[in-house]
Amino acid sequence: MNILKSPNKMKFVSLVLSLIGLWLMLNSPELGSRSASSWVRSMGGSVDSQEYLQMLKEYISTYKTLGGIFLFVGLFSFLNNHHQ
């Protein structure tokens, strides 16, 4: 019983993956801010403001990219599976 062989289950997994990707993209500023704050704490609680802003931008970009990948793969899989 393989989940990838059932078209309905595969559609469901694809949609869940897409929703996770969309959620990551929409919440990337909040997630990036939390990650940057955690990074500041790991650095002893004090960093240069320019360094903080750079890390914040990078964390937000990372979450957006990861969300975009999840969204693309999920939608591609859903649409590809839909036509089979």
Side-chain angles (χ1 to χ4, degrees):
M1 188 165 145
N2 189 350
I3 191 170
L4 299 177
K5 290 187 179 181
S6 171
N8 288 334
K9 289 181 182 178
M10 188 61 188
K11 284 183 188 179
F12 176 76
V13 170
S14 298
L15 286 176
V16 168
L17 189 63
S18 297
L19 289 174
I20 291 170
L22 183 61
W23 182 85
L24 282 170
M25 291 179 72
L26 294 175
N27 290 299
S28 60
E30 175 66 25
L31 296 169
S33 178
R34 287 181 187 177
S35 295
S37 295
S38 177
W39 173 76
V40 170
R41 284 191 300 277
S42 75
M43 298 299 287
S46 174
V47 295
D48 180 58
S49 61
Q50 290 299 327
E51 195 174 1
Y52 171 78
L53 290 175
Q54 182 64 34
M55 290 302 290
L56 178 62
K57 286 176 17 181
E58 293 301 323
Y59 277 120
I60 290 172
S61 177
T62 299
Y63 283 112
K64 281 184 182 179
T65 302
L66 185 61
I69 292 169
F70 277 34
L71 182 62
F72 175 77
V73 169
L75 288 177
F76 181 79
S77 177
F78 177 80
L79 294 174
N80 191 31
N81 190 29
H82 182 68
H83 293 294
Q84 289 179 350

